[in-house]
Amino acid sequence: MNLSLTLTINGETREIVLDDPRVTLLDLLRERLGLTGAKKGCDRGQCGACTILVDGQRINSCLALAISYHGSSITTVEGLAQGGTLHPVQQAFIDHDGFQCGFCTPGQVMSAVGLIAEGQTGDDPERVREAMSGNICRCGAYMGITEAVIEARGKMSETKPEKAA
Amino acid sequence: MSDTISLPGGNARFGSNSGQPMTRRDGVLKVTGAATFAADNHPDGMLYAVTANATISRGRVTSLNVEAAKAHPGVVEVITPANRPPLAITPEAKPYPFAFNIEVLQDDTVRYAGQEIAMVVAETLEAATEGARLLAPTYEAETARVGFDDVDSFDPDAVGVGAPPVAEKGDIDAGLAKAVNRISASYETPAQYHNAMEPHAMVAQWDGDRVTLDTPNQALVMSTGAFGAWFGIPPENVTIRSPFLGGGFGSKAIVFGGQVLTVLAAKMLGRPVKYALRRDQMYGPVGHRGATRQAFRMGMDAEGKLTALEHLTTSTTSTFEDFIEPASNASHDLYASPALSSRHKAARLDIGTPGPMRAPGEASGSAALESAIDEAALAAGLDPLEFRLRNYAETAPMSDKPYSAKALRECYAQGAEKFGWSKRPMQPRQMKDDAGRLVGWGMGTALFPAPMFQAKAKATLRADGSALVETAGADMGQGAWTALHQIAADGLGLDIAQVEFHSGHSGLPDGGIAGGSGHTATAGSALHAAGKDAIAKLTELAVNDEASPLFGAGNIGVTARDGRLHRADDPSRSESYGEILARAGVSELGGEGQGARDPSSAEEYAMFSHGAVFAEVKVDPELCQIRVSRLVGAFAAGRIINPRLAASQLYGGMIWGIGFALLEEAVHDRRSGRIMNANLAEYHVPVNADVPPMDVILVDEDDRYVNALGIKGVGEIGITGTVGAIANAIWHATGVRVRKFPIGIEALLAETSAH
Amino acid sequence: MNLFEYIRPTSVAEAIAAAGEPGSAYLGAGTNLLDLMKGGVTSPNRLIDLTHLPDLGKIEQLPDGSMRIGALVKNAALAHDTAFSKAYPAVAEALLSGASAQLRNAATVGGNLMQRTRCAYFADPASACNKREPGSGCDAIGGENRHHAILGWSESCIATHPSDFCVALTALDATIEIEGAGGRREVPITDFYLLPGDTPHEETVLEAGEIIVAIKLPANAAGFAGHQRYLKVRERTSYAFALVSAAAALEIENGTITEARLALGGVAMKPWRSAAAEAALAGLSPTREAFEKAAEAAFADARPSGENAYKIELGKRVVARALAMAAAGTPERMPALPASPFASDTGAIAHV
């Protein structure tokens, strides 16, 4: 069985040979590639802590069989900041206290980046709440999260126009 | 990764650090994925452990297919009661504080579903996981007892952590007899699970007779003694690194079996071992909020003043350990009544031992008490806020002690004003939104004790005028990395940018327990005192040095500010810390501090944080789906170190209130005893769309007795008051009083069928 | 999770051939299959990865006006496809009310059709389940069954089908295009799912090795575009499965219902089309009385399978409301909370 695959991770193309067909993208990143930003909160697609972008779309990496994603381009939270500059979503999460313990935060941040790219919510807090509901925050930082998404979206749309909803 | 996490300066500010709404100093680490949680560690040669957990609730394991597990590629070892290496103590010994009788594969007994019955260790997580499945245990099962009605209750010796189970004053029956209006009502709260986003995890690695544990822990130094006890090594041979906890809520304060087995596996195999619980494995071995039944009797005189308040709780616990949810104690300290009775009973079920979960006792007790108070207000014909004001306690009702500070009246007033409470119609089913949904308004009083524990800290002034402060604190999201840092900087009279802060490592001075809403007060006091101690020593150097502008100011005194000592009588005469140290030829100057409550204050005063929560709910009149649409909380909790982070904690607590009121419940199969919704898809915690626009008001309160800094805590109080406020709002919207939590569609549907 | 062989075919024919081996399972996005494998509910020994197959990812308008959706189209992509959501707004609303944005981005429409029940006893290998292990019994009966079926259940199985998407598809007479060793065939979605009867492990008409290649929505379904809604009652505002849901579509001419479509979710092991309710509505004015009459008809045969009698009453109310919402007209824009009773929140409070 051929368990080799090519992935572009945070801009870097990598040839990977899996030791086991069962490996999920999440466990590949966390346990084999040293990218522990994405978190395992439930491992069953029920919490969103493992959210990453695959080909620009946010997904739960815990329910993604790594071998099946051959040829994909992946962005994790580690790949978001450019140099020393935080992504607008990251900065907005800090400014609006959109987290407490920080465990769900990489997933929230990646989900927010995906949400903004999807261009469906505008700056309607209700739409943002709904669109962020796949990311559970047990500390209850939802107020800050919603504010942060709206602010980051606004800042990002100042620099590049959002796709029409 | 370095051995200890330290956060550098930056974010320069002038003047006092405390009181500033600084953003989290660990914020960049957390938003970039660089914050290292326990399961992110990966030492060379690490193995993965996965436990098999019981699927029966009572009985014994009769077989485990160890051969099949071992035959799976990558499996290194299977640990069962048959081959488990010896431990230094037994689970019954409990020689350390907060020791629970836990499962460490001591025998083949099963005491609850979800109990660890074997551990498989493998080269990969995938292999260990499949190895655990291949064990395919068989059992000899006995009838599971998981409901209140399955067993008789008993009178516990203690409730919560060592509290008396009964407290009474006055004559309840006499009080009821002379009452003009009376209510009696019973409420039920279900088993709830902490469900911190970070599942419990540990990476254990031995070096000779020393062990290093990466594990989220709410009480680092205390836990070194616990792990030391299990392995017969002194506490100083145990290093616990817990820079970040992915939520704790009480569940990461108590050592559980899987942790001990992980340390054991690492020792047995001579390699580092990682064990991370699956989400479903968090429903059993790591505590929960025990279910309660709570019965009230209240009597009111013609003015609506309570003549009697009786609160009887029956709490569930396990068959082998006591943690009795002290729910009735929520009635000790809030409403004035000449006759007051709080009592507890307990019921032993085939469940994992409950434990402290965010506002233990208070959350469940407040949910029921605030609902009952609403019913009493209605019976007395009074607005619920007016009723609470008429029963306002000027001294703590059960103990008769004065409050150290109590700004509850201001909380009521400011919260009510912000919410618009005065427009509330008395009768239910009076309000609709323009989409036709029923709208209701309810309120609840929030109350939580303001305890202090014991903590130590060190402060070191450096030659360049900067400083290092150290304590083994724990940040599980409450913001210790920031708030403690702010306090420490103030103790040193330095800007926070000049102060380096080390925490989250057991090798540091004991930071005490992050729990009971007492960590900021306790560890903060220690850090502040350590800074003051260092400054006192620095002052000694300066006032005795003829070359210093402060020479001879010993009697007059000096003040430390902005990195300089100033003469108290002439602030223009000052000198920088660095200059003083340089002239004295001292490269480092250390101070030590302790945090603990003054025993005489503790004896004399009742110490609590207070608050008032106002809730608006909307209920679909036919479909009965419920949504909280507005929440306002006003809280008085002494001196607020960081208003931004304090508000976040209060929002979080109030959101827990939403979960408690509407969503959270572990559902046991009555036959097997297994929890059938042991996952985050079906054990519902609030999602973003459940959370409405909220307001938190931080009400000024100057508490001179609680501690020198006037700090209380805000970690738990938010959930109290909120649950009752939401339940009361649902009543106000629908006219239906649901006395069983969580309040859902089914309950309202039954009552609205007639409409 | 057991070890398995992984195969990545390059054509549908190759996939079908590979699936000839017993113990094979097709892998779509895996959002359901991997979940079940992690839970030990299913243990295939070879996974045939369909996600790299060409030509299954298109949304096409066919010459006859119908719309054909490739099986590998993602749930989110379909819901946000402008032409699709304009023609079949209730389907888009149903899609967007399901799961989370992340799952919708990953999950395929073919996989959605094949998702398994959320019955907790099915998901728990320690429980008896005739669906998971034929002949072992049903622990949901007599167990925690507040969420279980009230229509079409049997003494062997009281589970429900979890999909939202399929409910809306069922209301609109979708057909499913299937390819197998014997070629292609089309099956109406109303015939695709099997009720449990004595064989609850048999859930669809798919033969071994057959693959769903596409879903088709007929041209005439678009006739309902102005009056169709999906309504989903949940305990949690979002990211929750339905207690009861309904897809309702109406054709209204001159104040009279000329044709009605109604399908229910959360009530049976298949998306439940109610011909009786549809018949009851034909020729009536779109009034509350008419909708309540239809609701009674829809649940005439309902009976509790346990502690879930409340779902019958709830179901009737959901039907009446969904029909009323459909009659009121499809909203211009997808509601902020799709399919929620709180979908339109204007906020203003009027004292009565």
Side-chain angles (χ1 to χ4, degrees):
Chain A
M1 182 169 31
N2 182 4
L3 293 179
S4 64
L5 72 160
T6 305
L7 290 176
T8 302
I9 302 173
N10 298 330
E12 188 193 339
T13 300
R14 304 173 73 150
E15 303 295 333
I16 295 160
V17 179
L18 295 177
D19 55 302
D20 192 310
R22 294 171 290 192
V23 177
T24 60
L25 277 182
L26 178 61
D27 289 330
L28 174 65
L29 293 168
R30 287 184 53 76
E31 306 298 341
R32 288 160 176 87
L33 301 179
L35 291 167
T36 55
K39 295 290 183 272
K40 185 180 284 189
C42 72
D43 208 27
R44 305 289 285 271
Q46 301 167 354
C47 81
C50 66
T51 302
I52 60 170
L53 302 184
V54 172
D55 299 330
Q57 302 271 308
R58 49 179 169 156
I59 69 161
N60 299 116
S61 60
C62 70
L63 290 182
L65 195 67
I67 187 70
S68 178
Y69 281 80
H70 170 62
S72 298
S73 178
I74 287 170
T75 309
T76 71
V77 72
E78 289 94 339
L80 217 48
Q82 296 298 317
T85 308
L86 295 179
H87 186 281
V89 168
Q90 292 172 314
Q91 187 61 52
F93 267 68
I94 294 175
D95 293 344
H96 291 273
D97 212 32
F99 54 91
Q100 293 181 33
C101 79
F103 191 82
C104 72
T105 311
Q108 300 274 2
V109 165
M110 296 314 293
S111 191
V113 173
L115 175 158
I116 292 166
E118 288 159 15
Q120 298 291 331
T121 64
D123 58 2
D124 177 356
E126 188 83 321
R127 287 179 192 272
V128 171
R129 286 185 201 113
E130 165 65 21
M132 288 299 290
S133 283
N135 293 84
I136 292 176
C137 169
R138 184 57 156 162
C139 296
Y142 294 127
M143 289 263 298
I145 290 167
T146 302
E147 290 168 7
V149 173
I150 291 169
E151 181 178 283
R153 182 194 159 276
K155 288 205 167 145
M156 289 168 72
S157 64
E158 282 166 20
T159 49
K160 73 180 164 205
E162 195 179 356
K163 192 177 85 182
Chain B
M1 174 195 150
S2 67
D3 192 50
T4 56
I5 300 282
S6 65
L7 294 177
N11 214 13
R13 286 179 186 279
F14 297 102
S16 170
N17 299 286
S18 297
Q20 301 281 357
M22 294 176 183
T23 56
R24 285 174 202 268
R25 299 186 66 77
D26 48 355
V28 171
L29 292 177
K30 285 179 173 173
V31 300
T32 56
T36 308
F37 294 83
D40 298 342
N41 289 285
H42 198 132
D44 287 344
M46 187 182 81
L47 296 168
Y48 294 83
V50 172
T51 53
N53 298 63
T55 56
I56 64 163
S57 298
R58 184 159 64 119
R60 55 183 210 92
V61 179
T62 51
S63 76
L64 290 165
N65 194 345
V66 174
E67 293 69 28
K70 279 193 165 171
H72 190 71
V75 171
V76 171
E77 185 58 275
V78 178
I79 308 173
T80 73
N83 71 337
R84 193 210 70 182
L87 289 160
I89 58 169
T90 64
E92 294 78 25
K94 304 202 281 185
Y96 50 88
F98 297 102
F100 276 40
N101 183 336
I102 59 178
E103 292 79 22
V104 289
L105 303 181
Q106 62 267 38
D107 56 37
D108 62 10
T109 309
V110 175
R111 315 193 277 197
Y112 60 91
Q115 174 192 320
E116 304 96 333
I117 55 172
M119 177 176 265
V120 176
V121 188
E123 297 287 349
T124 65
L125 177 59
E126 292 75 16
T129 303
E130 179 63 0
R133 191 178 76 89
L134 289 168
L135 287 173
T138 59
Y139 304 94
E140 197 173 279
E142 294 176 60
T143 305
R145 300 158 300 185
V146 293
F148 277 101
D149 299 326
D150 295 345
V151 295
D152 295 328
S153 61
F154 68 99
D155 294 313
D157 296 331
V159 297
V161 182
V166 175
E168 294 181 309
K169 82 164 193 186
D171 185 332
I172 291 289
D173 288 330
L176 288 170
K178 72 178 178 201
V180 176
N181 293 296
R182 297 173 201 86
I183 63 141
S184 75
S186 295
Y187 302 85
E188 196 165 322
T189 67
Q192 300 170 348
Y193 282 75
H194 304 77
N195 275 308
M197 292 314 296
E198 175 200 29
H200 297 62
M202 176 182 272
V203 175
Q205 42 187 331
W206 286 85
D207 179 8
D209 64 348
R210 309 180 71 85
V211 68
T212 300
L213 309 175
D214 291 296
T215 192
N217 193 295
Q218 295 179 234
L220 280 85
V221 174
M222 191 180 85
S223 298
T224 61
F227 287 107
W230 280 103
F231 292 91
I233 56 176
E236 55 269 24
N237 285 19
V238 179
T239 299
I240 298 177
R241 298 186 294 202
S242 184
F244 302 104
L245 292 85
F249 313 117
S251 76
K252 289 170 180 165
I254 291 158
V255 172
F256 70 99
Q259 289 177 310
V260 175
L261 293 173
T262 305
V263 183
L264 184 65
K267 189 178 180 187
M268 184 179 174
L269 299 169
R271 290 170 67 178
V273 171
K274 170 152 87 180
Y275 175 55
L277 268 64
R278 289 194 312 265
R279 179 59 54 180
D280 61 287
Q281 292 173 325
M282 294 172 71
Y283 292 75
V286 293
H288 68 279
R289 194 195 302 284
T292 69
R293 282 181 172 172
Q294 302 180 52
F296 290 87
R297 288 194 296 165
M298 292 184 196
M300 290 76 69
D301 66 15
E303 270 79 52
K305 290 193 162 184
L306 288 164
T307 58
L309 193 175
E310 181 186 59
H311 188 170
L312 169 64
T313 297
T314 305
S315 301
T316 56
T317 190
S318 68
T319 56
F320 52 92
E321 183 59 276
D322 289 352
F323 186 90
I324 316 296
E325 190 74 9
S328 291
N329 292 358
S331 291
H332 286 187
D333 301 291
L334 192 45
Y335 298 109
S337 175
L340 199 52
S341 167
S342 82
R343 289 177 292 136
H344 295 86
K345 287 186 160 301
R348 292 202 185 283
L349 301 178
D350 299 313
I351 58 175
T353 306
M357 174 161 152
R358 201 171 196 175
E362 284 82 6
S364 307
S366 168
L369 173 65
E370 293 303 316
S371 298
I373 286 287
D374 209 60
E375 299 202 47
L378 183 72
L382 290 170
D383 172 84
L385 176 53
E386 175 59 25
F387 183 77
R388 284 170 171 84
L389 288 168
R390 289 198 192 182
N391 290 287
Y392 196 88
E394 302 296 345
T395 58
M398 191 66 87
S399 66
D400 288 325
K401 288 180 186 178
Y403 291 102
S404 57
K406 179 177 179 178
L408 177 57
R409 269 202 187 84
E410 292 76 7
C411 295
Y412 285 142
Q414 293 184 31
E417 171 68 25
K418 180 89 185 173
F419 187 83
W421 182 259
S422 63
K423 299 193 195 81
R424 177 184 179 273
M426 272 286 285
Q427 294 304 314
R429 287 186 81 93
Q430 300 299 302
M431 299 191 294
K432 284 185 179 174
D433 71 6
D434 51 15
R437 298 184 201 99
L438 303 174
V439 177
W441 290 356
M443 69 165 295
T445 308
L447 179 80
F448 199 80
M452 280 183 78
F453 308 106
Q454 309 279 333
K456 295 177 186 163
K458 274 200 316 208
T460 308
L461 283 171
R462 294 162 167 164
D464 65 356
S466 72
L468 168 68
V469 292
E470 300 169 282
T471 191
D475 194 332
M476 47 195 178
Q478 79 276 34
W481 276 117
T482 309
L484 292 181
H485 200 165
Q486 289 176 267
I487 296 168
D490 282 350
L492 287 158
L494 283 171
D495 187 89
I496 197 166
Q498 295 296 308
V499 181
E500 188 181 340
F501 178 38
H502 288 189
S503 182
H505 188 290
S506 68
L508 302 170
D510 186 355
I513 300 165
S517 298
H519 194 43
T520 308
T522 310
S525 293
L527 286 161
H528 198 263
K532 287 284 181 210
D533 186 40
I535 293 298
K537 290 175 181 166
L538 185 71
T539 303
E540 277 299 299
L541 291 180
V543 301
N544 293 312
D545 181 351
E546 292 181 20
S548 171
L550 305 170
F551 177 67
N555 294 330
I556 296 151
V558 300
T559 55
R561 197 171 68 242
D562 301 336
R564 302 178 74 84
L565 294 183
H566 302 256
R567 275 183 72 107
D569 60 341
D570 181 3
S572 71
R573 293 168 67 184
S574 71
E575 193 171 29
S576 77
Y577 300 172
E579 286 168 320
I580 298 166
L581 290 171
R583 217 171 33 252
V586 175
S587 62
E588 280 193 351
L589 183 61
E592 293 183 355
Q594 301 211 5
R597 177 151 291 150
D598 169 14
S600 66
S601 295
E603 183 53 39
E604 205 170 331
Y605 295 99
M607 300 178 180
F608 292 90
S609 297
H610 293 89
V613 180
F614 298 84
E616 176 184 282
V617 302
K618 295 189 174 185
V619 182
D620 188 290
E622 293 151 0
L623 308 177
C624 298
Q625 195 169 315
I626 306 162
R627 196 177 190 211
V628 177
S629 49
R630 214 150 55 90
L631 276 179
V632 174
F635 299 92
R639 185 175 190 221
I640 298 301
I641 300 303
N642 184 319
R644 180 194 304 267
L645 307 195
S648 285
Q649 276 198 284
L650 292 163
Y651 285 130
M654 290 162 74
I655 290 168
W656 273 56
I658 296 174
F660 192 129
L662 303 180
L663 301 172
E664 295 188 37
E665 176 178 23
V667 178
H668 290 264
D669 180 88
R670 286 152 286 185
R671 302 154 303 179
S672 70
R674 280 195 298 284
I675 296 172
M676 299 310 295
N677 61 341
N679 62 64
L680 285 173
E682 274 101 7
Y683 181 102
H684 285 166
V685 301
V687 297
N688 202 317
D690 290 306
V691 173
M694 296 166 68
D695 283 298
V696 158
I697 302 165
L698 299 169
V699 173
D700 284 340
E701 185 181 72
D702 180 14
D703 193 324
R704 296 168 184 204
Y705 303 105
V706 72
N707 50 53
L709 303 174
I711 299 172
K712 291 176 172 174
V714 292
E716 295 167 274
I717 190 172
I719 185 171
T720 71
T722 305
V723 185
I726 293 169
N728 298 336
I730 291 170
W731 170 80
H732 191 239
T734 63
V736 179
R737 175 64 67 180
V738 181
R739 298 189 180 87
K740 189 170 185 292
F741 291 97
I743 301 173
I745 292 167
E746 187 180 352
L748 293 182
L749 194 79
E751 299 289 339
T752 58
S753 294
H755 289 283
Chain C
M1 191 186 295
N2 57 299
L3 275 169
F4 51 80
E5 189 186 356
Y6 172 81
I7 293 169
R8 190 188 296 147
T10 55
S11 70
V12 170
E14 205 182 304
I16 292 166
E21 295 285 321
S24 300
Y26 288 126
L27 174 71
T31 51
N32 190 220
L33 182 63
L34 286 184
D35 183 38
L36 294 168
M37 290 172 71
K38 287 182 182 197
V41 177
T42 180
S43 308
N45 51 33
R46 69 188 336 209
L47 290 189
I48 300 157
D49 186 352
L50 305 180
T51 61
H52 294 260
L53 294 180
D55 304 328
L56 297 184
K58 284 189 289 203
I59 303 168
E60 314 162 82
Q61 188 98 45
L62 299 183
D64 67 355
S66 63
M67 207 169 256
R68 183 176 183 275
I69 305 137
L72 290 178
V73 171
K74 306 291 191 188
N75 284 209
L78 182 60
H80 293 138
D81 182 89
T82 312
F84 179 83
S85 61
K86 207 172 170 62
Y88 311 105
V91 183
E93 187 168 22
L95 278 167
L96 293 174
S97 74
S100 67
Q102 289 94 317
L103 289 165
R104 295 191 295 267
N105 279 342
T108 64
V109 298
N112 193 316
L113 261 60
M114 295 303 292
Q115 71 181 302
R116 311 294 300 276
T117 180
R118 292 299 302 187
C119 173
Y121 297 91
F122 171 73
D124 171 29
S127 293
C129 174
N130 290 320
K131 192 181 275 302
R132 183 168 23 76
E133 197 180 326
S136 63
C138 172
D139 275 348
I141 293 173
E144 294 301 321
N145 47 32
R146 288 180 51 240
H147 296 169
H148 282 73
I150 50 174
L151 284 163
W153 54 272
S154 74
E155 296 299 329
S156 296
C157 179
I158 62 172
T160 60
H161 195 270
S163 170
D164 296 298
F165 177 49
C166 296
V167 176
L169 290 180
T170 298
L172 296 177
D173 271 343
T175 56
I176 301 176
E177 205 175 300
I178 296 165
E179 190 166 331
R184 289 205 177 194
R185 61 181 178 130
E186 287 190 20
V187 177
I189 191 169
T190 45
D191 296 338
F192 182 73
Y193 296 103
L194 305 174
L195 285 173
D198 297 332
T199 53
H201 57 288
E202 292 173 4
E203 299 186 339
T204 70
V205 297
L206 284 181
E207 302 287 343
E210 282 190 318
I211 297 179
I212 296 172
V213 292
I215 298 163
K216 272 191 201 159
L217 277 156
N220 71 355
F224 297 93
H227 292 283
Q228 59 174 275
R229 291 302 299 271
Y230 185 67
L231 173 65
K232 176 179 179 183
V233 173
R234 290 161 269 197
E235 300 279 14
R236 184 159 74 178
T237 307
S238 184
Y239 206 8
F241 290 93
L243 286 180
V244 179
S245 68
L250 298 172
E251 272 184 352
I252 301 172
E253 279 173 30
N254 304 321
T256 301
I257 298 168
T258 52
E259 192 176 350
R261 297 289 182 80
L262 180 72
L264 308 172
V267 298
M269 197 46 226
K270 62 187 279 188
W272 191 267
R273 181 83 177 262
S274 179
E278 292 174 5
L281 286 165
L284 298 184
S285 298
T287 62
R288 187 183 173 98
E289 291 68 34
F291 301 146
E292 286 177 352
K293 187 177 155 207
E296 289 297 329
F299 288 91
D301 296 331
R303 61 196 172 102
S305 58
E307 295 173 353
N308 57 359
Y310 79 99
K311 283 181 70 171
I312 299 174
E313 174 63 24
L314 180 61
K316 290 177 186 174
R317 297 184 191 190
V318 168
V319 165
R321 176 70 63 80
L323 288 166
M325 288 164 63
T330 306
E332 280 287 302
R333 188 182 176 197
M334 184 62 65
L337 302 177
S340 169
F342 296 97
S344 63
D345 200 347
T346 55
I349 296 170
H351 286 248
V352 172

